[in-house]
């Protein structure tokens, strides 16, 4: 087992092991009369390259991150891989170099490299130890807009730590969100979603009133479209997006001596939708099947899973991580719960660009929704 100490760039998701497996081993240990300590042989000198890279159809620099995964019994972060030769080649034979801007980070020049729909891209890596690594060819498939979004008010139980450091269970009222995609003839859809909540709220401090905001990452596991569809036309119906509570206490928006009259103005859902090709879908599906679970004990990371990259001069050499090429669509909604009618409305708004994760000001910022 290898640990890199860095999550996949576009995933800010939390992965967990299944409690059923844990309970199974506890039961076996309890009822086993004789126990013998097993000490597996571990090659502690084995070095494994971990690759983290995502290309999208957005006009921006792209980053390929390289590091050597640390052994399971070591501490600290993985070691960045510096002075490597990193490039991406398209299906027309054009080569685009990535330049190292920080240890282990290799960045493209978006002034002459842009990823195009229906084109294929291959990542190549040359390391100073003489090894060459190459990904399989990855196609960028055009995205599709969400056709319908809707939700419901419901209650879910969370396990949290209170102000006294005690672990407690609490029921939170909140919103479940669902999306539909209408089909095109003969077309299958494979997506993954990354969802954030932007909370706009006001509060008082002293004699002043402030306009504040805070982003909240709602991703607790890998959210991908399943392979089972509602009918033969491959329509996707009621695919769930992450639940989010509507109680201020969940987000630590509680009055104190300096902050009072807290009032949430808007709940804003920011949905990043990635259209996956077959390789990337298989990669995320494998992670979800192995690591996603109901409990939340461990936090393994995505680049511990074998992906689409191979060492060409030594096919037996282990490589971790994945090179993903996916089109990206960001959609932003104001979500308005209506408790009296027990309904939820979604208003699509222009995307809020360059909004920091949190902040406040005495006057409404430019992106503030009135």
């Amino acid at each position: 087992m290898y640990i890199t100490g860095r999550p996949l760039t576009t995933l800010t998701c939390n992965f967990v092991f299944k409690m059923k497996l844990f309970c199974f081993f506890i039961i076996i240990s309890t009822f086993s009369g004789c126990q013998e300590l097993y000490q597996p042989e571990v090659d502690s000198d084995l070095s494994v390259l971990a690759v983290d890279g995502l290309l999208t159809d957005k006009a921006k620099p792209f980053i390929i991150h390289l590091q050597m995964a640390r052994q399971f019994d070591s501490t600290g972060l993985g070691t960045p891989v510096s002075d490597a030769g990193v490039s991406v080649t398209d299906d027309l034979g054009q080569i685009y170099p990535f330049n190292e801007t920080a240890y282990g980070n290799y960045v493209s020049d978006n002034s002459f490299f842009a990823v195009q729909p229906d084109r294929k891209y291959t990542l190549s890596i040359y390391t100073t130890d003489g090894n060459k690594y190459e990904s399989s060819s990855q196609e960028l498939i055009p995205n599709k807009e969400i056709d319908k979004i809707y939700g419901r008010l419901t209650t879910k139980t969370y396990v949290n730590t209170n102000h006294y450091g005690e672990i407690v269970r609490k029921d939170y009222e909140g919103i479940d969100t669902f999306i539909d995609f209408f089909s095109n003839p003969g077309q299958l859809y494979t997506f993954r979603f990354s969802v954030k909540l932007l909370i706009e709220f006001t509060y008082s401090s002293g004699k002043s009133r402030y306009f504040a905001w805070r982003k909240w990452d709602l991703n607790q596991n890998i959210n991908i479209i399943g392979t089972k569809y509602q009918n033969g036309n491959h329509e996707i119906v009621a695919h769930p997006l992450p639940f989010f509570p509507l109680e201020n206490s969940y987000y630590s928006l509680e009055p104190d001596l300096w902050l009072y009259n807290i009032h949430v103005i808007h709940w804003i859902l920011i949905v990043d939708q990635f259209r996956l090709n077959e390789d990337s879908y298989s990669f995320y599906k494998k992670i979800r099947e192995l690591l996603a679970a109901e409990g939340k004990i461990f936090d393994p990371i995505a680049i511990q899973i074998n992906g689409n990259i191979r060492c060409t001069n030594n096919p037996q050499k282990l490589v971790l991580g994945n090179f993903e090429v996916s089109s990206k669509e960001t959609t932003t909604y104001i979500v308005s719960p209506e408790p009296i009618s027990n309904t939820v409305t979604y208003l699509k708004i222009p995307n809020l660009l360059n909004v920091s994760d949190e902040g406040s000001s005495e006057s409404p910022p430019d992106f503030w929704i009135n």
Side-chain angles (χ1 to χ4, degrees):
M1 180 178 181
Y2 295 87
I3 305 173
T4 64
R6 181 179 183 272
L8 198 64
T9 303
T10 60
L11 284 176
T12 49
C13 335
N14 292 319
F15 307 104
V16 290
F17 285 112
K18 292 188 175 179
M19 288 297 296
K20 291 181 180 179
L21 185 60
F22 177 79
C23 294
F24 172 78
F25 285 114
I26 293 295
I27 294 172
I28 293 298
S29 301
T30 302
F31 290 95
S32 175
C34 299
Q35 298 182 13
E36 181 178 351
L37 181 62
Y38 173 64
Q39 296 179 333
E41 295 183 3
V42 177
D43 185 357
S44 60
D45 296 326
L46 181 65
S47 60
V48 178
L49 179 68
V51 182
D52 176 2
L54 168 68
L55 306 185
T56 72
D57 54 349
K58 302 304 177 184
K60 56 174 289 185
F62 303 114
I63 299 176
I64 304 296
H65 182 78
L66 306 179
Q67 62 182 328
M68 301 308 296
R70 62 185 176 91
Q71 302 294 330
F72 79 97
D73 57 349
S74 64
T75 59
L77 302 177
T79 304
V81 175
S82 193
D83 299 323
V86 177
S87 63
V88 169
T89 305
D90 65 18
D91 51 2
L92 298 179
Q94 300 179 89
I95 301 175
Y96 303 94
F98 281 55
N99 298 313
E100 188 174 14
T101 59
Y103 289 127
N105 284 339
Y106 298 82
V107 182
S108 66
D109 184 348
N110 65 312
S111 64
F112 72 97
F113 176 49
V115 181
Q116 302 295 329
D118 300 316
R119 299 285 294 278
K120 296 181 179 180
Y121 300 88
T122 303
L123 173 67
S124 298
I125 301 168
Y126 296 85
T127 53
T128 56
D129 58 4
N131 287 309
K132 177 184 178 182
Y133 303 87
E134 191 171 276
S135 73
S136 56
S137 180
Q138 299 297 300
E139 181 179 2
L140 183 82
I141 304 175
N143 222 313
K144 187 185 187 308
E145 291 185 1
I146 296 171
D147 289 308
K148 185 179 180 181
I149 184 168
Y150 48 99
R152 67 184 180 191
L153 293 166
T154 186
T155 300
K156 292 192 176 181
T157 303
Y158 279 71
V159 178
N160 290 325
T161 303
N162 63 19
H163 294 298
Y164 305 101
E166 302 169 333
I167 298 177
V168 296
R169 293 170 59 91
K170 182 177 178 180
D171 292 338
Y172 287 96
E173 294 183 358
I175 293 176
D176 268 332
T177 298
F178 304 93
I179 53 176
D180 293 349
F181 291 92
F182 304 145
S183 65
N184 292 330
Q187 194 169 29
L188 296 176
Y189 300 126
T190 49
F191 301 110
R192 71 175 175 90
F193 301 91
S194 178
V195 184
K196 287 187 177 181
L197 180 68
L198 173 62
I199 306 173
E200 289 187 345
F201 61 98
T202 61
Y203 68 89
S204 298
S205 180
K207 296 181 179 180
S208 300
R209 181 170 179 260
Y210 290 87
F211 297 83
W213 64 94
R214 182 178 299 175
K215 285 183 182 177
W216 196 270
D217 191 345
L218 299 180
N219 304 292
Q220 295 183 339
N221 53 30
I222 292 179
N223 190 311
I224 58 174
I225 293 291
T227 55
K228 294 182 179 180
Y229 297 88
Q230 296 296 319
N231 54 49
N233 294 326
H234 304 129
E235 290 184 350
I236 298 169
V237 178
H239 176 75
L241 296 182
F243 168 88
F244 67 91
L246 291 172
E247 297 186 30
N248 291 3
S249 61
Y250 181 81
Y251 307 98
S252 300
L253 300 179
E254 298 176 289
D256 57 29
L257 292 175
W258 310 106
L259 186 150
Y260 53 93
N261 290 336
I262 301 170
H263 180 59
V264 172
I265 305 299
H266 289 121
W267 307 95
I268 300 174
L269 210 58
I270 302 172
V271 182
D272 286 334
Q273 170 190 325
F274 298 86
R275 180 75 184 271
L276 303 178
N277 59 33
E278 185 176 348
D279 271 6
S280 292
Y281 180 77
S282 298
F283 176 73
Y284 287 110
K285 183 180 179 183
K286 180 166 56 177
I287 296 174
R288 189 174 69 171
E289 290 175 347
L290 292 176
L291 304 180
E294 299 98 17
K296 299 175 183 177
I297 294 181
F298 303 108
D299 186 25
I301 52 182
I303 48 179
Q304 291 178 229
I305 307 298
N306 290 1
N308 56 14
I309 303 170
R310 301 291 179 266
C311 181
T312 58
N313 60 287
N314 182 6
Q316 303 304 315
K317 188 174 182 62
L318 179 64
V319 189
L320 302 177
N322 195 62
F323 173 59
E324 178 183 349
V325 179
S326 297
S327 52
K328 179 183 178 181
E329 185 76 24
T330 300
T331 316
T332 304
Y333 303 91
I334 296 177
V335 185
S336 301
E338 300 175 7
I340 296 177
S341 59
N342 198 32
T343 60
V344 181
T345 59
Y346 293 78
L347 175 63
K348 185 177 178 179
I349 61 174
N351 291 326
L352 304 176
L353 304 177
N354 303 318
V355 178
S356 59
D357 288 343
E358 60 180 320
S360 65
S361 63
E362 292 191 51
S363 58
D366 293 339
F367 61 84
W368 192 265
I369 306 298
N370 295 317

